[in-house]
Amino acid sequence: MKFKNIFRYLTIATLAVLIGCSEDKIEDGATGTLTGLVVSSGDNEPLANVKISTQPITSTVFTSEAGLFVIESVPVGDYAVQAELDGFVVDFEAAVIQTNRESNVIFELNKEVVANSSPFTPVPIAPANNATDLPLSLDFVWSGGDPDEDDNVTYTISLQNDQNDEVLEFQTVTDTTLTVNSGLINSAQYFWQISADDGVNPPVLSAISSFETSAIPQADFLFVRKIGDNNVIFGSDLEGNLIQLTSEANNSWRPRKNSAIGKIAYLQSVGAQTHLFLMNEDGSDKRRLTFPVPVSGFDLNEIDFAWEPNGASILYPTLSGVRRVSSSATTGVTTSFYEPAAGMLVTEIAWSQFNDVIALKLNDIDGYNVSIITVDIDGNLLDTIFDGEPGAAGGLDLNINGSKVLYWYDISGLELPSYLPQDARVFIYDIPTATATQIDNFVTIGRNNFDPKFGPNENNVYYTDKARAATAIPNIFVHDLGDPMANETLLESNASMIDFEE
């Protein structure tokens, strides 16, 4: 402001000298008119109510809404014209008034720059610096503020980790707390910094703080949970520590782990098709396995596939029968393994760890007329486990040596068009004795038991319990085969499609 005042006085002094040195003879009483326009610099918007005065002194006027002004009957001569408006820098223009003529000046006023202080330097508070074993959902807290009460400070939180090149950024306005529910990964050291920006001064950066997230939970079992419109795959240890393995943005289901190669296969929607995908046990390195021949069947929620015990390939159902795809395939090329009789579809597959016994569930296009059979490695029939019964059945699993088949059957025998079983119960079929035994648990009329799976030691059976309604919430229970009494223990709520592999 001092520089502007000095400039103003110099301008006036210069104009005064010019006026004083003029040797022109001015006719007494001769006058002219002074007109002008005042706009703001940069956008050229007209400025109203600008005070216009002159030196030597004549009339003082104010600009109109259009930024225009007129001073009439101004004695001829040289003048310094001043434009003044609150919030803008005072400006001067020179004008020469001639007899009976109109002189015009234009002002472009600059806005006054009011002194503005930078925001206070943010100070990280939580998570505490060097904190360890933190969950993937965190509350970030810091101190901040701005000396200028009218300033809104935008805070940007930047996070980097030591595992990859990903940079996460989150913003808040004025608030000095932020909850991050997604984006963080396990077993990583994070470095975070806060930037405070008031929109006037350069951003102010906090010191860098760090923390470590908890180790990846050991996924003792896998399951599926519905979130919004999509199925999402989770892993859990026996203490209930969860790890989300697939994104809520994708519809992913039916996880199947192969411990021999440390991979999880699963189904995922790709447009109108369903394909096999692979990922690591921690959910990383996801890739699509099938391409030209998609997974298909009468009901995609009933579809199940099977790993070759050594992890080299996967058998999966299609409309033409069972196809085989290599787990290392990049082109999705498949070979035929088994073709059912005309009018029948293969919906589910299981493969024993030893003895190469493969169980298949066959059904008609509506899911009924069910047959459960076992075949050898060449697709030759070994045994018929279930056949000729009305109603729905499925949920195949084999014990380690292929001598027992686990499945569910709707004992009501009803065949509803909606394919909603009414009283699904779990059975174990013993191949050497050709006997089927219903598992005795606490299931009540109106509830169903689906997708049974042997536990790793085969002393337990895990299954999904669900009410008859299609929209009912499923839960996973465990049954102890060594207990002669009916029993069940809740393992996971709002969960289905369990896979329990060591």
Side-chain angles (χ1 to χ4, degrees), residues 124 126-127 140-141 157-159 190-194 207-211:
F140 289 84
V141 182
I157 314 303
S158 299
L159 295 103
Y190 276 90
F191 303 91
W192 64 293
Q193 187 173 37
I194 309 148
I208 296 175
S209 189
S210 71
F211 61 88

Side-chain angles (χ1 to χ4, degrees), residues 5 26 66 69 96 109-110 153 160 173 190 193 212 227 229 240 243 246 340 351 374 383 443 450 452 490:
N5 289 332
I26 299 175
F69 67 87
V96 178
L109 299 189
N110 292 303
V153 180
Q160 290 181 276
V173 177
Y190 276 90
Q193 187 173 37
E212 293 181 11
I227 300 179
D229 294 329
I243 175 173
T246 61
W351 196 333
T374 58
D383 293 283
V443 64
F450 298 118
L490 178 65

